[in-house]
Amino acid sequence: GTYSSATNNAEQGDCTPADPGSFAVTGSTAQTPCAKGSFAATGGLSECVSCESGTYQDVTGATGCRDCEAGSYCAEGAVAPLPCEAGTFSTATDLTAASECTDASPGHFATTGSTQQTACAKGSYTNETRQGECTPCAGGTYQDAEAQTACKPCEQGSYCAAGAAAALPCDGGTYSSATNNAEQGDCTPADPGSFAVTGSTAQTPCAKGSFAATGGLSECVSCESGTYQDVTGATGCRDCEAGSYCAEGAVAPLPCEA
């Protein structure tokens, strides 16, 4: 706990006590600063003391140790806090081992060194504990809420890409009754003679007085003046009849007046 570089010391009292934050072994000619991870609170010590578990010291020559940091743990003699592993977190400042960090709960995740868990974002989930990230919803499913442990089946008349936070409606001219569509291409085009508005779960036959010559239409076309259609689901219109007239969208010929 003492040292001296002099060559004329006559007694032990001529040796100099080591300062706080340093030590001196027997026969030292100089004091030595405490290494990182240790300290000397008082002078005159022959060795430094290791930082207790739950504390650390990242500088030399220290007279004490620092509390561990939130999101970390500190073993005995730590020279720096070590972050809680991915999937765990902590707000405490006295943890001594990784096992003391708290596991993230289902529906949440925690990145390395987290001080708190984070809810899974919309479009993702996790049904397990101790996760470092959430899993995107698979194609054909979606999740419109945070902190969830599963995704929902897609809705009829819609499709859900991977990671979807909401079901997207099938485009006009297409429809679907399925609940696992992953893309617009999974929606079915309406047949000729029918139509489908945006988000349809089924196609609808064209009404009388209208038609759809091709498939994939979002609305039917009214019969032109001089034509008519008296059945539903038509792909074209009929010529008006002799002795009659047909206005636009006519469902039957009207006789010429007397």
Side-chain angles (χ1 to χ4, degrees):
T2 62
Y3 66 97
S4 179
S5 61
T7 58
N8 60 349
N9 292 338
E11 57 184 32
Q12 172 60 38
D14 293 332
C15 296
T16 304
D19 295 329
S22 296
F23 71 100
V25 298
T26 302
S28 292
T29 59
Q31 62 183 348
T32 302
C34 292
K36 296 178 180 179
S38 66
F39 71 102
T42 62
L45 297 183
S46 61
E47 62 181 355
C48 297
V49 181
S50 293
C51 291
E52 293 182 354
S53 298
T55 67
Y56 77 101
Q57 185 49 261
D58 58 353
V59 298
T60 60
T63 58
C65 295
R66 304 180 180 185
D67 290 336
C68 203
E69 297 180 0
S72 302
Y73 64 95
C74 298
E76 181 181 356
V79 300
L82 294 175
C84 289
E85 297 173 354
T88 67
F89 67 98
S90 179
T91 58
T93 58
D94 60 353
L95 300 190
T96 65
S99 59
E100 296 177 355
C101 298
T102 303
D103 290 349
S105 58
H108 298 78
F109 72 100
T111 57
T112 301
S114 290
T115 59
Q116 60 184 5
Q117 63 181 355
T118 303
C120 290
K122 296 177 181 180
S124 66
Y125 76 100
T126 179
N127 58 4
E128 299 179 5
T129 61
R130 198 180 173 87
Q131 296 301 298
E133 61 183 358
C134 298
T135 303
C137 291
T141 67
Y142 77 102
Q143 182 51 259
D144 56 356
E146 298 178 345
Q148 298 303 300
T149 59
C151 297
K152 303 176 182 180
C154 202
E155 299 177 1
Q156 291 184 326
S158 302
Y159 65 95
C160 299
L168 295 177
C170 290
D171 290 344
T174 66
Y175 68 96
S176 180
S177 61
T179 58
N180 62 348
N181 291 337
E183 57 184 30
Q184 169 61 40
D186 293 331
C187 300
T188 304
D191 295 329
S194 294
F195 71 100
V197 298
T198 300
S200 291
T201 60
Q203 60 184 346
T204 302
C206 292
K208 294 178 181 180
S210 66
F211 71 102
T214 61
L217 298 182
S218 59
E219 60 182 357
C220 297
V221 181
S222 294
C223 290
E224 294 180 354
S225 300
T227 66
Y228 76 99
Q229 185 48 264
D230 59 353
V231 298
T232 60
T235 58
C237 296
R238 303 179 181 186
D239 291 336
C240 203
E241 298 179 358
S244 302
Y245 65 95
C246 298
E248 181 181 357
V251 299
L254 293 176
C256 293
E257 297 175 357

